[in-house]
Amino acid sequence: MSTQDTPSPRPGRPSTMRDPRRTICDAAAALFAAKGYDATSLQDVASAVGVTKAGLYHYFATKQDLFDTIVLAVLSDMLDWARARVDVAARPADQVAAFMAGHAAYFAANRDHYRAAFIGRGGDLYVFTPEQMAARRAYTDFLTRILEEGRAAGDFAFEDAPLVARGILGMLNWMTRWYNPTGRKGAEEIAADYASIVLKGIATD
Amino acid sequence: MSTQDTPSPRPGRPSTMRDPRRTICDAAAALFAAKGYDATSLQDVASAVGVTKAGLYHYFATKQDLFDTIVLAVLSDMLDWARARVDVAARPADQVAAFMAGHAAYFAANRDHYRAAFIGRGGDLYVFTPEQMAARRAYTDFLTRILEEGRAAGDFAFEDAPLVARGILGMLNWMTRWYNPTGRKGAEEIAADYASIVLKGIATD
């Protein structure tokens, strides 16, 4: 949470915050990640930021709106990280490893937002907005395309590229459930271990 | 839900149910899996089963108690499935494949209970009871032991067996998020695809 940007937040005066939408999202993400969406109220978020609920409404009409914003930002940011880290001219195996390292690095650097988006809501009734759906698909497709490119180049062998992509993402996303940021291995190291297993597992030779 | 066992449930008379605790858990698991723990009330569960809330209290004192019971049953049952399907005299690679197929088969056959336990609660404040913790550890240790046995036999090569175990479980557990029971591939087939990638990925040769 970047509430340190707001030394003396005045109730009902969110305009004193620097980048107020960002500050609100940071605070909300921490709450959604820990308590879950249903158990978090807009009042909790307002209190965490140091504004009134009325001040919060100025930026987000509903809790759903706030949650949707966080999920979309995570999905879009993850694609940006992948694009920034994956050299599409490199060998497909190196691209897969870079993609996985980027995913883990994003997770480690944005833990609250990531956990809010991936485990913030209990149950499976949450329906992605069309924008979120497009962002999620673009991210999965980015990995699937690398896998297919590697298969076309004769480097990889598997039947179902989207299934392999989901398996890779599962290994990484499940880290939300057990990863300890103060543990022996960092998130990128773990991703590298998984990448070496998967890459050997799908290699042609 | 096995509510078909109770053709005319009489309000407040849960004793007319066959295996009432089981019936209540089935109904609750379906609700927790879909709506999530926080958004599900004991009244919702009572209504789904066709008893009064007072009737429900006869079996479960709190919603937490009901959820804890489901989580413990899932963790214990998964270990039973693994024990029943894994031939500990077989080669470690076959044991890993059997373990993964068993995990997927359990998931496919007990989708509501599994999803309730794994994605029913939003956020990460849920604390396992000592019994649940022991059951979860026993399940993970079962897989880790196979991996270590395979490494000792010279079949597998990796540095960190628990990390590999968590990666395998992640691939399988993440299926809660995308698996479509009416899709082209069944859960066990998907597990077999993943097993062949992982086993090739950790093979010594």
Side-chain angles (χ1 to χ4, degrees):
Chain A
M1 293 193 287
S2 52
T3 41
Q4 65 270 27
D5 288 347
T6 48
S8 328
R10 280 178 281 162
R13 292 283 185 85
S15 58
T16 61
M17 286 189 274
R18 204 176 305 162
D19 198 350
R21 282 181 65 91
R22 173 70 197 247
T23 304
I24 292 165
C25 282
D26 285 349
L31 288 163
F32 292 151
K35 299 168 62 170
Y37 176 85
D38 288 310
T40 300
S41 68
L42 277 184
Q43 183 56 61
D44 295 336
V45 178
S47 302
V49 178
V51 298
T52 60
K53 246 172 96 172
L56 203 63
Y57 283 136
H58 184 68
Y59 298 99
F60 295 97
T62 62
K63 184 166 74 164
Q64 178 75 56
D65 181 22
L66 184 48
F67 185 76
D68 285 344
T69 302
I70 291 170
V71 172
L72 181 60
V74 167
L75 294 168
S76 312
D77 289 352
M78 286 173 80
L79 183 60
D80 290 343
W81 279 53
R83 284 196 178 122
R85 286 172 161 250
V86 173
D87 172 7
V88 295
R91 291 200 68 83
D94 293 332
Q95 290 188 51
V96 170
F99 179 95
M100 291 178 71
H103 187 110
Y106 178 83
F107 162 55
N110 301 278
R111 253 184 112 222
D112 284 342
H113 289 255
Y114 182 99
R115 289 184 307 147
F118 282 96
I119 62 163
R121 291 197 68 136
D124 52 16
L125 286 189
Y126 179 63
V127 177
F128 279 107
T129 65
E131 247 186 315
Q132 289 168 344
M133 208 121 69
R136 187 176 65 156
R137 180 172 298 270
Y139 188 67
T140 311
D141 285 354
F142 189 91
L143 176 57
T144 304
R145 184 200 51 73
I146 302 172
L147 293 169
E148 284 169 342
E149 195 183 303
R151 181 171 56 187
D155 294 352
F156 299 154
F158 44 71
E159 186 214 315
D160 188 337
L163 195 70
V164 177
R166 284 196 205 99
I168 290 171
L169 294 173
M171 291 177 114
L172 299 171
N173 287 334
W174 199 252
M175 284 171 63
T176 44
R177 296 293 190 180
W178 57 266
Y179 177 69
N180 173 6
T182 63
R184 199 168 54 83
K185 282 198 178 185
E188 285 197 66
E189 268 181 286
I190 293 167
D193 281 358
Y194 287 157
S196 70
I197 292 174
V198 168
L199 288 169
K200 188 167 172 232
I202 62 174
T204 308
D205 45 318
Chain B
M1 294 193 286
S2 52
T3 42
Q4 65 270 25
D5 289 347
T6 49
S8 326
R10 278 179 282 160
R13 295 280 186 88
S15 58
T16 62
M17 286 191 272
R18 205 176 301 166
D19 198 350
R21 281 181 66 92
R22 172 70 197 247
T23 304
I24 292 165
C25 282
D26 286 349
L31 288 162
F32 291 151
K35 298 167 63 171
Y37 176 86
D38 289 310
T40 300
S41 67
L42 278 183
Q43 183 57 60
D44 294 337
V45 178
S47 301
V49 177
V51 298
T52 60
K53 246 172 97 172
L56 203 63
Y57 284 136
H58 184 68
Y59 298 100
F60 294 97
T62 62
K63 185 167 73 162
Q64 179 73 56
D65 181 22
L66 184 49
F67 184 75
D68 284 343
T69 302
I70 291 169
V71 172
L72 180 60
V74 166
L75 295 169
S76 312
D77 289 353
M78 287 174 79
L79 182 59
D80 290 343
W81 278 54
R83 285 196 177 124
R85 285 172 162 252
V86 173
D87 173 5
V88 293
R91 289 201 68 84
D94 294 332
Q95 290 188 51
V96 170
F99 180 95
M100 291 178 71
H103 187 111
Y106 178 83
F107 162 56
N110 300 279
R111 254 186 110 223
D112 284 343
H113 289 255
Y114 183 99
R115 289 184 306 146
F118 283 95
I119 62 163
R121 291 195 68 135
D124 53 16
L125 284 190
Y126 179 63
V127 177
F128 279 108
T129 65
E131 249 185 313
Q132 289 168 345
M133 208 120 70
R136 187 176 64 157
R137 180 172 297 270
Y139 188 66
T140 311
D141 285 354
F142 189 90
L143 176 57
T144 304
R145 184 199 52 75
I146 302 172
L147 293 168
E148 284 170 343
E149 196 183 302
R151 180 170 56 185
D155 294 354
F156 300 155
F158 44 71
E159 185 214 316
D160 188 338
L163 195 71
V164 177
R166 285 196 204 98
I168 290 172
L169 294 173
M171 290 178 114
L172 298 171
N173 287 334
W174 198 251
M175 285 172 62
T176 44
R177 296 293 190 182
W178 59 266
Y179 177 69
N180 172 7
T182 63
R184 199 168 54 83
K185 283 199 176 184
E188 285 197 64
E189 269 181 288
I190 293 166
D193 281 358
Y194 286 158
S196 70
I197 292 172
V198 169
L199 287 169
K200 188 168 172 234
I202 63 174
T204 309
D205 46 315

